[in-house]
Amino acid sequence: MKHRLTLPLAALLASILASPALAHAFLDHATPGVGATVNSSPGELQLSFTQNLVPAFSGVTLKAASGGEIPVGKATLDAGSANTLHVKLGKALPPGTYFVSWHVVSVDTHPTSGTYKFTIAP
Ligand SMILES: [Cu+2]
């Protein structure tokens, strides 16, 4: 009896775990762009997601490829679209490669995270 229950239950769980991924908030596009090379330091980072976000639980960290973490402002939501985070940079970034690690909670309460890089040309 036990084994008869196990397999359908496993299949059910697998489908539940697999399908909501489509409804999570994933990074759709960013400014500077994912993997992009830009000619000058941006004044802020913009990250647009596939779903609206809960700003209190969403943010980014910025690191230079050459080393330390760079302090950034608190992430705020776009007034016009609740799927876009704005993160002000305190001061101009020198040329180099930077890693943006984002963590967000979407309005369906699911957390997601990821990392991308961009480069400021010398
Ligand atoms: Cu979700």
Side-chain angles (χ1 to χ4, degrees):
M1 288 299 281
K2 200 177 176 190
H3 287 91
R4 284 194 187 141
L5 280 175
T6 305
L7 193 58
L9 188 60
L12 182 65
L13 279 174
S15 68
I16 288 171
L17 291 173
S19 54
L22 296 171
H24 292 6
F26 288 106
L27 185 64
D28 185 60
H29 60 276
T31 307
V34 174
T37 297
V38 296
N39 290 319
S40 60
S41 176
E44 68 167 17
L45 308 176
Q46 289 178 27
L47 294 85
S48 291
F49 291 85
T50 56
Q51 252 192 315
N52 289 348
L53 307 174
V54 181
F57 302 110
S58 301
V60 308
T61 57
L62 180 64
K63 274 185 182 168
S66 57
E69 188 168 330
I70 295 157
V72 296
K74 192 168 159 44
T76 57
L77 277 188
D78 195 321
S81 57
N83 69 339
T84 301
L85 284 181
H86 294 256
V87 181
K88 298 259 184 241
L89 301 179
K91 55 181 180 181
L93 301 172
T97 295
Y98 295 88
F99 293 95
V100 181
S101 294
W102 54 267
H103 62 275
V104 302
V105 172
S106 54
V107 289
D108 65 3
T109 73
H110 295 142
T112 49
S113 60
T115 298
Y116 66 92
K117 69 176 181 178
F118 68 88
T119 298
I120 301 171

